[in-house]
Amino acid sequence: GGFGLVGPPGGVGAAGSAGGGGGGVEGSLEHSMMQRVPVASDRDSLSSNLAALNQSLANMPQAHDRERTKQYSPRNPYPTPNVYYNAPGPSPVFEDPAIYEHFHTDTLFFIFYYMQGTYQQYLAARELKKQSWRFHKKYKTWFQRHEEPKITTDEYEQGTYVYFDYQGTYESKSGWCQRIKYEFTFEYEYLEDELVV
């Protein structure tokens, strides 16, 4: 027997094997040859794969890609006055606790969130507590009762609160403002109560 023409799987080859895919060696050879002959769609697929490989090769990482980038150094640096480098911190005016009574609430929030770990943060927190704001340790933000709580227990209170949103959300596209939270449960275990006013 000869190899004949290659046809569809299980089809008729020139060797005369019909229907059941041929038998014995001739059928397996015929099937093997069909897998090796590319058709038009395979050629398109091969050419697109080859194009993708060539594009990938053109953009292959180079040895210098692992090197760290150098720090920018200006060609004509402008001398910065030393007063900017040697600033000791906030003005001594901010050391006086009495001045915090005159600050707007937003200013107190700014000092609290942007001067962390300083005496000024402590003074801002103290003044916020004097104004009936309470810090929630879990949410890391300040809450104030909007009205008397509807439910009060030894573990929590529930009601309407005003809270300071220092971060904002994607949906609201804003932050750094006061918002109202209805039916909020303020658990006392998260209440910061170490600061004495």
Side-chain angles (χ1 to χ4, degrees), residues 1 9 13 15-16 23 48 55 64 75 91 111 122 139 142 150 152 155 158 168 170 182 186 188 194:
S48 70
Q55 186 68 23
H64 64 11
R75 292 165 75 183
S91 168
I111 293 170
Y122 163 78
Y139 297 119
W142 291 87
K150 294 177 181 162
T152 304
E155 288 85 33
Q158 186 177 25
Y170 179 77
Y182 297 98
F186 199 124
Y188 294 139
E194 297 171 12

Side-chain angles (χ1 to χ4, degrees), residues 5-7 29-43 46:
L5 298 173
V6 176
L29 285 174
E30 189 173 323
H31 183 71
S32 173
M33 289 199 60
M34 286 186 344
Q35 290 179 343
R36 291 188 186 141
V37 176
V39 291
S41 66
D42 289 340
R43 286 189 188 124
L46 287 173

Side-chain angles (χ1 to χ4, degrees), residues 75-190:
R75 292 165 75 183
N76 300 316
Y78 183 80
T80 305
N82 285 337
V83 69
Y84 293 108
Y85 293 116
N86 299 329
S91 168
V93 170
F94 293 104
E95 303 284 327
D96 180 14
I99 197 161
Y100 286 79
E101 296 172 6
H102 303 288
F103 287 153
H104 188 271
T105 309
D106 281 344
T107 305
L108 295 171
F109 285 133
F110 181 84
I111 293 170
F112 179 82
Y113 284 107
Y114 283 94
M115 300 184 78
Q116 294 185 8
T118 64
Y119 180 59
Q120 288 75 23
Q121 182 189 31
Y122 163 78
L123 293 174
R126 194 173 83 167
E127 185 58 33
L128 285 166
K129 283 189 87 169
K130 283 182 183 176
Q131 297 177 16
S132 300
W133 286 92
R134 297 296 177 253
F135 189 72
H136 195 289
K137 294 189 282 189
K138 180 179 178 184
Y139 297 119
K140 307 231 183 291
T141 193
W142 291 87
F143 284 80
Q144 186 181 56
R145 287 179 179 166
H146 185 64
E147 59 191 21
E148 285 301 311
K150 294 177 181 162
I151 301 171
T152 304
T153 69
D154 290 339
E155 288 85 33
Y156 67 89
E157 62 185 48
Q158 186 177 25
T160 304
Y161 288 83
V162 176
Y163 72 96
F164 182 72
D165 182 5
Y166 68 96
Q167 289 181 320
T169 61
Y170 179 77
E171 292 82 21
S172 67
K173 294 183 175 34
S174 67
W176 206 262
C177 62
Q178 294 178 22
R179 300 182 188 278
I180 292 183
K181 186 77 170 170
Y182 297 98
E183 297 188 29
F184 178 72
T185 302
F186 199 124
E187 298 173 70
Y188 294 139
E189 68 177 303
Y190 297 119

